[in-house]
Amino acid sequence: MITSSLTPALLQRLVAEGRAPRLLDVRTPGEFRTSHIAGSYNVPLNTLREHRAELLAHLDEEVVLVCRSGARAAQAGQALAEAGLPNLRVLEGGIVAWETAGASLERGPERWDIERQVRLVAGSIVLATGLVGIFVPGAHLIGTAIGAGLTYAAVSNSCAMGVLLSRLPYNRGPRPDIRTVIAQLRSTP
């Protein structure tokens, strides 16, 4: 299991002192390109799960997992812990908390994060089916199903719609090749 979380303030201090742990950002490549903590490595959650045994050999030091809010990082931590990696921590509150704490981010082209896309798609479906339901009996049940899915997503801390949206070309960006990631991990002290 993950041993602990790390506050943005403590991580900022470690970075300033030159004692920054290895930072693995498990968000999608598109999210990573939009903004990330300097010096972090992009290893999307699915890539990390698929190649955790290969990564394990290159992560023998302290590792801090980063995502938007901490949920995907916790899932990544679980996967790496099951593979036998000690000293795992999750950045408490993720990139959102990091930025709120006034810490700097490297920025790329602006794009909507997955959570905002989910709100747009879910809200649009509910709105559209609610309006269509005035004329087509039963259409509102589609909106009800979306509401049930969002409720399940909150309870289970997973989001099927988010997973589907992350596969769109807009969100994918160039997928990090595992060999490239491992080469980067090897080359950095």
Side-chain angles (χ1 to χ4, degrees):
M1 291 297 286
I2 296 173
T3 56
S4 65
S5 61
L6 184 70
T7 65
L10 179 55
L11 181 56
Q12 283 178 321
R13 189 170 77 225
L14 292 172
V15 169
E17 294 171 354
R19 300 185 304 130
R22 186 78 57 128
L23 301 174
L24 297 185
D25 191 320
V26 300
R27 297 175 300 149
T28 66
E31 290 174 294
F32 184 81
R33 285 183 52 204
T34 298
S35 65
H36 61 272
I37 300 171
S40 61
Y41 301 89
N42 185 218
V43 185
L45 181 56
N46 290 339
T47 302
L48 182 138
R49 283 182 178 146
E50 183 180 336
H51 298 282
R52 64 184 167 186
E54 295 166 68
L55 290 168
L56 195 60
H58 306 285
L59 298 174
D60 56 355
E61 60 213 51
E62 288 190 40
V63 174
V64 174
L65 299 160
V66 179
C67 68
R68 182 181 184 282
S69 64
R72 283 179 280 177
Q75 292 173 27
Q78 181 67 35
L80 289 173
E82 288 171 0
L85 186 65
N87 302 323
L88 292 167
R89 293 189 279 178
V90 170
L91 178 61
E92 197 173 282
I95 289 288
V96 172
W98 176 262
E99 190 170 27
T100 300
S104 66
L105 291 170
E106 289 189 0
R107 297 203 179 271
E110 191 64 36
R111 63 180 57 217
W112 285 13
D113 61 47
I114 296 292
E115 183 180 313
R116 186 174 181 190
Q117 292 176 51
V118 167
R119 291 191 311 254
L120 173 69
V121 171
S124 297
I125 291 170
V126 170
L127 177 63
T129 59
L131 293 172
V132 169
I134 294 170
F135 306 105
V136 179
H140 70 284
L141 294 176
I142 296 171
T144 302
I146 295 294
L150 291 173
T151 301
Y152 176 76
V155 170
S156 67
N157 200 21
S158 64
C159 184
M161 188 180 292
V163 169
L164 291 174
L165 288 171
S166 72
R167 293 181 179 160
L168 293 175
Y170 172 80
N171 292 315
R172 282 193 314 238
R175 181 177 176 180
D177 175 61
I178 192 63
R179 288 177 292 232
T180 304
V181 170
I182 289 172
Q184 290 172 341
L185 290 172
R186 280 186 193 151
S187 68
T188 304

